[in-house]
Amino acid sequence: MSDIENIDDIPVDQPKSAPGDRASAGPFDESEANPVRPYVDLGGVKVLPREGLHLRLEVEEGTKRVVAIGLDYANSTLQVQPFAAPRTSGLWHEIRAQITDQIARQGGTTTVREGPFGPELLAQIPVAAAEGQAAHMRLARFIGVDGPRWFLRGVIAGEAAVDPAAAAQVEDLFRSIVVVRGSTPMPPRDLIPLRMPAASTGAPTA
């Protein structure tokens, strides 16, 4: 079991983890995004519509707060969450350790590997079986990028967790996301507020 039991006990002086070309190829900070592109504004993130992309808002039942954005694309799902982060240090190294610990407690396994965004976790997560059926494992990839004053986490499942062609499409989708940190002071690791889109989420008609 990991020694990491409480996120408040973790030092925050970890280096940032991000692709070397993040500022030019994404995921983008709001200051780096092309202002004329037809993004769907979801508060803490903006998503670029594309053919075959379906967007879902994941809402916390008690508070009705939007806690994640689900993107269905290329026979896969990509869940994204933006978090506030320190200006000079990163969160992904410590959050990976927490995810590993959490999945181990559920009876699953994780493997750290180098991916297109840097270190990522390939996880096998137990799925509760219906009565009379055998339990099985669900494969998922946990990816993360440290940006300027924000951290963007992604969870990839479906074909993109195993198939290179689908993975490339979903990775490109993750790259296209814009994080809107805003100027409001927020403690590191707080979820940057998300909201319903004000306009249609359909693909633009050119």
Side-chain angles (χ1 to χ4, degrees):
M1 183 178 294
S2 167
D3 292 330
I4 297 173
E5 298 291 344
N6 188 319
I7 195 164
D8 294 327
D9 296 335
I10 304 169
V12 295
D13 56 353
Q14 294 285 351
K16 287 184 180 290
S17 176
D21 61 352
R22 185 209 60 75
S24 59
F28 300 103
D29 184 70
E30 184 183 24
S31 64
E32 301 157 346
N34 185 333
V36 302
R37 301 191 84 176
Y39 289 106
V40 178
D41 186 353
L42 299 161
V45 297
K46 292 181 179 180
V47 176
L48 191 65
R50 58 184 70 196
E51 189 71 32
L53 173 64
H54 298 279
L55 185 152
R56 291 176 291 102
L57 302 180
E58 301 186 17
V59 179
E60 195 172 57
E61 188 172 341
T63 64
K64 305 302 181 186
R65 181 178 68 137
V66 179
V67 294
I69 305 299
L71 303 170
D72 298 330
Y73 186 63
N75 294 317
S76 310
T77 60
L78 169 64
Q79 182 205 65
V80 294
Q81 292 177 295
F83 298 92
R87 188 179 299 276
T88 57
S89 58
L91 297 180
W92 182 220
H93 295 291
E94 63 195 51
I95 288 177
R96 278 203 319 278
Q98 287 186 304
I99 295 169
T100 297
D101 187 46
Q102 182 181 17
I103 291 174
R105 293 182 189 190
Q106 296 173 5
T109 61
T110 52
T111 303
V112 180
R113 66 180 188 181
E114 194 67 19
F117 304 102
E120 65 175 56
L121 288 177
L122 184 64
Q124 294 195 58
I125 305 169
V127 176
E131 189 174 350
Q133 295 183 344
H136 63 283
M137 292 284 189
R138 177 173 69 91
L139 199 64
R141 292 170 57 195
F142 290 81
I143 56 178
V145 169
D146 289 304
R149 298 176 63 239
W150 52 259
F151 166 71
L152 183 65
R153 192 185 87 158
V155 185
I156 298 172
E159 288 189 10
V162 293
D163 177 66
Q169 293 184 72
V170 174
E171 288 158 8
D172 182 68
L173 175 62
F174 188 72
R175 282 269 198 181
S176 73
I177 290 172
V178 176
V179 179
V180 183
R181 167 62 179 82
S183 57
T184 304
M186 292 179 65
R189 308 175 195 89
D190 268 16
L191 183 69
I192 300 172
L194 300 165
R195 64 167 184 259
M196 300 279 287
S200 169
T201 59
T205 56

